[in-house]
């Protein structure tokens, strides 16, 4: 199995996911162990000294001037975890909890936090043995670190809280006893090092990078199929046009759609028709989808900077040099997370417009409501209501969480990022857009049915046939929510992207573009 050196190697979003899924083994090099040990020794020396250092021999937040005796340092750190574990709401997914562990290990292993190797090893043990903490989704304001969720994440270290284990939620102390692991006493500063940081919002950010990438790639597929279904023109995707406005995302989308529609009989059948322009939802896909790709790239770059950073406080350089700063403040990723939320929503907006366009009945050979016999039958009128509802819900979720700030900690923490809220919101929007794109491919396949015996090119024909394998054409009214759910699952699974790449490879065709490497992760 491939290995990754915590605290030393460059962590990417894709590598974080592989570590969380245990597809790659995370290890600690001798150099990392030495750095971590040296930092822990520096903290132990500070704890025994006379000089006041925040969080090591003082209280926290507005209690930063209250001195704590050396013999009370363990109690101080455990009290910190207990008092800050105030999260509410549903639990985050086990996957995101795993990601939080990975990101925290990597940050602490850089050797500026005063954590002991014993504690790092225990966190890694939890990950490797699938003892995954249960973390409520609400309670972080995204500054001073993700205090509440990180407190829940590390309560199991001291034998408290709950964990996912063997397919169910159990009390941490019961699982630790079962596995022969005693609760771990915390050393000086360890509680603070564990709960200061941005790993809750950053873990969500990693997942947003993953799911938004899948979403945007599928938007090209569903959009290309809708171009065929509605006899749209491919002229707006001409490379020469996009060289005049050379945003990478725009060019990537335009070329991807040309690749997907290569040698399409449907497209070639109307190359010289009298139609001058298509509506924006078809014609402007490179500009709209491309802008969202550019936002995705910005998020990826920001998240990957964040997950390789030290974001707790104070930062320990040595026993004589600790800096109490603000690296825990979530603003550097809170803004890109809100940007990504908007970028995802716009994909849903334009997809809903293409769906609506497909039922208007203005395309030669394609009947109104995508059904020949209507009146007695409503055809595909009503699923568009669902996409309209989802698109509208997303618009309400697009208000930037980072535009808000509510002072906390008796005014000591007087500006906060709310990045945790933005991150959760962005994933909710992405989930809604996955549903919209699923409905679009359901509609687009129905529109393509009316162009038989004309066929698409080899890539899109394979995708169309895969959709039709599980979803039969609608010929009269039937219950359609199961068909919609099937189509949505195709989008979420990434199977259609895999299929497109397989066909392109076997047929000597292009699916990737010269910008694909830029937009990979």
């Amino acid at each position: 199995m491939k290995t990754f050196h915590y605290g030393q190697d460059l962590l990417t979003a894709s590598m974080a996911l592989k570590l969380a899924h245990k597809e790659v083994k995370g290890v600690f090099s001798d150099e990392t162990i030495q750095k971590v040990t040296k930092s822990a020794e520096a903290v132990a020396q500070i704890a025994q000294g006379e000089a006041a250092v925040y969080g090591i021999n003082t209280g926290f937040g507005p209690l930063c001037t209250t001195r704590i005796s050396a013999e009370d340092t363990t109690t101080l750190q455990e009290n910190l975890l207990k008092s800050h574990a105030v999260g509410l709401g549903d639990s985050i997914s086990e996957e995101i909890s795993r990601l939080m562990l990975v990101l925290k290990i990597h940050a602490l292993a850089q050797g500026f936090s005063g954590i002991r190797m014993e504690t790092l090893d225990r966190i890694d043990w939890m990950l490797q043995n699938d003892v995954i903490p249960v973390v409520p989704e609400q309670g972080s304001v995204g500054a001073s670190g993700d205090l509440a969720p990180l407190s829940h994440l590390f309560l199991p270290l001291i034998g408290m809280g709950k964990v996912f284990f063997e397919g169910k939620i159990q009390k941490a102390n019961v699982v630790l006893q079962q596995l022969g692991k005693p609760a771990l006493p915390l050393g000086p500063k360890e509680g603070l090092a564990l709960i200061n940081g941005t790993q809750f919002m950053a873990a969500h950010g990693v997942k947003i990078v993953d799911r938004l990438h899948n979403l945007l790639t599928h938007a090209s597929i569903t959009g290309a199929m809708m171009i065929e279904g509605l006899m749209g023109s491919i002229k707006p995707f001409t490379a020469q046009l996009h060289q005049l406005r050379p945003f990478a995302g725009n060019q990537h989308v335009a070329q991807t759609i040309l690749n997907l529609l290569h040698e399409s009989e449907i497209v070639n059948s109307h190359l010289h028709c009298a139609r001058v322009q298509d509506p924006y939802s078809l014609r402007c896909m490179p500009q709209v989808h491309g802008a969202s790709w550019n936002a995705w790239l910005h998020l990826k770059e920001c998240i990957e900077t964040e997950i390789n950073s030290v974001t707790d406080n104070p930062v320990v350089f040595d026993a004589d040099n600790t800096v109490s700063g603000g690296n825990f403040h979530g603003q550097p990723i809170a803004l890109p997370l809100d940007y990504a939320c908007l970028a995802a929503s716009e994909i849903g907006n334009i997809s809903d417009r293409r769906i609506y366009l497909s039922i208007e009945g203005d395309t030669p050979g394609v009947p109104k409501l995508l059904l020949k016999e209507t009146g007695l039958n409503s055809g595909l009128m009503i699923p568009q209501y669902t996409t309209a509802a989802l698109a509208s819900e997303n618009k309400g979720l697009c208000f930037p969480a980072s535009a808000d700030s509510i002072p906390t900690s008796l005014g000591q923490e007087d500006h906060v990022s709310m990045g945790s809220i933005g991150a959760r919101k962005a994933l909710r929007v992405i989930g809604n857009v996955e549903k919209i794109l699923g409905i679009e491919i359901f509609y687009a396949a129905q529109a393509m049915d009316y162009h038989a015996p004309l066929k698409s090119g080899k890539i899109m024909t394979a995708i169309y046939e895969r959709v039709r394998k599980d979803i039969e054409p609608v010929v009269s009214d039937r219950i359609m929510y199961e068909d919609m759910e099937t189509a949505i699952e195709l989008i979420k699974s990434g199977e259609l992207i895999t299929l497109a790449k397989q066909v392109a490879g076997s047929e000597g065709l292009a699916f990737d573009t010269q910008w694909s490497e830029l937009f990979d992760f």
Side-chain angles (χ1 to χ4, degrees):
M1 181 183 288
K2 184 178 178 180
T3 58
F4 175 86
H5 296 90
Y6 281 124
Q8 193 170 340
D9 292 344
L10 180 69
L11 184 61
T12 62
S14 60
M15 180 57 72
L17 286 161
K18 289 174 183 175
L19 286 163
H21 296 153
K22 297 199 295 187
E23 296 168 5
V24 170
K25 172 71 174 174
V27 298
F28 302 105
S29 69
D30 290 342
E31 180 184 347
T32 293
I33 293 170
Q34 289 172 9
K35 286 178 66 178
V36 169
T37 302
K38 184 178 180 181
S39 180
E41 289 171 350
V43 166
Q45 183 179 335
I46 293 168
Q48 296 295 326
E50 294 298 321
V53 178
Y54 175 73
I56 299 178
N57 53 19
T58 76
F60 309 107
L63 303 176
C64 59
T65 58
T66 303
R67 288 297 298 267
I68 306 297
S69 66
E71 56 269 22
D72 286 334
T73 54
T74 293
T75 302
L76 174 70
Q77 301 303 316
E78 292 188 357
N79 282 350
L80 182 67
L81 258 65
K82 290 187 284 188
S83 66
H84 285 55
V86 294
L88 295 173
D90 294 335
S91 302
I92 62 173
S93 69
E94 187 174 343
E95 180 184 31
I96 293 181
S97 189
R98 285 177 173 276
L99 280 168
M100 288 179 69
L101 292 174
V102 167
L103 302 189
K104 198 67 185 183
I105 293 170
H106 187 56
L108 296 174
Q110 294 182 51
F112 295 97
S113 302
I115 204 85
R116 296 170 301 161
M117 273 310 306
E118 180 184 3
T119 306
L120 267 184
D121 285 336
R122 174 63 67 88
I123 300 170
D124 186 49
W125 174 86
M126 290 167 62
L127 185 64
Q128 299 308 320
N129 289 274
D130 301 316
V131 181
I132 308 302
V134 173
V135 178
E137 65 180 357
Q138 295 172 308
S140 172
V141 294
S144 198
D146 288 311
L147 296 174
L150 284 167
S151 296
H152 285 276
L153 188 75
F154 293 119
L155 279 177
L157 290 179
I158 59 174
M160 297 181 180
K162 297 178 180 179
V163 294
F164 296 104
F165 185 66
E166 295 183 340
K168 58 184 178 181
I169 293 176
Q170 303 187 52
K171 288 185 177 181
N173 63 331
V174 173
V175 173
L176 291 177
Q177 186 176 10
Q178 178 183 333
L179 297 176
K181 288 285 184 181
L184 189 70
L186 297 180
K189 192 187 176 288
E190 286 198 313
L192 189 59
L194 291 169
I195 75 169
N196 249 249
T198 59
Q199 285 75 33
F200 178 85
M201 62 186 102
H204 281 76
V206 167
K207 197 58 191 169
I208 291 164
V209 168
D210 177 33
R211 286 179 64 184
L212 185 54
H213 188 277
N214 179 66
L215 189 82
L216 291 167
T217 308
H218 276 100
S220 291
I221 292 172
T222 63
M225 188 180 285
M226 198 62 93
I227 288 170
E228 293 194 294
L230 302 184
M231 292 285 196
S233 173
I234 61 168
K235 286 184 180 179
F237 306 94
T238 303
Q240 188 178 12
L241 173 67
H242 296 284
Q243 288 166 4
L244 299 178
R245 197 186 188 195
F247 287 104
N250 303 30
Q251 294 180 94
H252 177 59
V253 171
Q255 189 58 55
T256 299
I257 289 175
L258 289 178
N259 291 346
L260 289 167
L261 298 180
H262 181 65
E263 295 184 343
S264 166
E265 293 177 2
I266 299 172
V267 169
N268 292 337
S269 71
H270 62 94
L271 285 177
H272 305 292
C273 68
R275 195 177 194 175
V276 178
Q277 288 186 339
D278 293 323
Y280 287 0
S281 60
L282 296 178
R283 188 179 6 142
C284 297
M285 275 190 267
Q287 292 79 10
V288 178
H289 293 196
S292 293
W293 271 113
N294 295 332
W296 175 90
L297 183 60
H298 180 60
L299 176 69
K300 172 184 172 287
E301 291 171 346
C302 291
I303 289 296
E304 291 187 344
T305 297
E306 187 76 352
I307 64 179
N308 287 284
S309 300
V310 176
T311 59
D312 64 301
N313 181 61
V315 171
V316 180
F317 294 99
D318 55 52
D320 300 315
N321 185 12
T322 63
V323 178
S324 184
N327 275 8
F328 49 70
H329 200 295
Q331 197 81 350
I333 60 173
L335 297 180
L337 286 165
D338 282 332
Y339 183 19
C341 180
L342 179 61
S345 180
E346 281 300 287
I347 296 299
N349 280 343
I350 197 170
S351 175
D352 168 70
R353 291 301 82 208
R354 290 192 294 265
I355 291 166
Y356 187 88
L357 195 65
S358 73
I359 59 177
E360 285 189 317
D362 291 337
T363 302
V366 179
K368 187 178 293 187
L369 301 175
L370 294 174
L371 204 65
K372 287 183 177 178
E373 298 181 5
T374 53
L376 180 63
N377 296 298
S378 294
L380 272 69
M381 180 196 304
I382 303 302
Q384 190 271 324
Y385 284 44
T386 303
T387 64
L390 291 166
S392 180
E393 181 177 322
N394 284 349
K395 292 172 188 177
L397 291 168
C398 276
F399 182 86
S402 57
D404 184 34
S405 177
I406 299 174
T408 57
S409 194
L410 304 184
Q412 180 77 1
E413 296 157 14
D414 55 356
H415 182 279
V416 298
S417 77
M418 302 298 182
S420 60
I421 298 168
R424 289 169 42 226
K425 204 156 56 69
L427 277 179
R428 184 173 164 188
V429 168
I430 288 169
N432 287 341
V433 180
E434 288 167 345
K435 295 170 185 174
I436 294 171
L437 292 184
I439 295 170
E440 181 177 12
I441 209 163
F442 175 37
Y443 272 54
Q446 184 79 7
M448 284 182 67
D449 290 340
Y450 294 105
H451 301 311
L454 295 176
K455 283 193 170 185
S456 181
K458 291 177 180 177
I459 297 176
M460 288 305 296
T461 294
I463 290 171
Y464 166 81
E465 289 174 350
R466 178 63 190 89
V467 174
R468 280 286 169 254
K469 178 183 175 184
D470 288 347
I471 303 172
E472 294 182 357
V474 178
V475 294
S476 61
D477 280 352
R478 69 182 193 222
I479 295 174
M480 288 183 283
Y481 72 87
E482 291 181 348
D483 297 320
M484 292 157 60
E485 289 173 348
T486 298
I488 292 162
E489 192 53 42
L490 277 176
I491 299 295
K492 293 170 66 175
S493 70
E495 182 182 342
L496 298 180
I497 298 172
T498 301
L499 176 60
K501 291 182 176 181
Q502 287 173 345
V503 173
S506 63
E507 298 291 341
L509 301 170
F511 175 74
D512 289 335
T513 75
Q514 70 186 83
W515 299 274
S516 292
E517 186 174 348
L518 176 66
F519 291 112
D520 198 6
F521 79 102

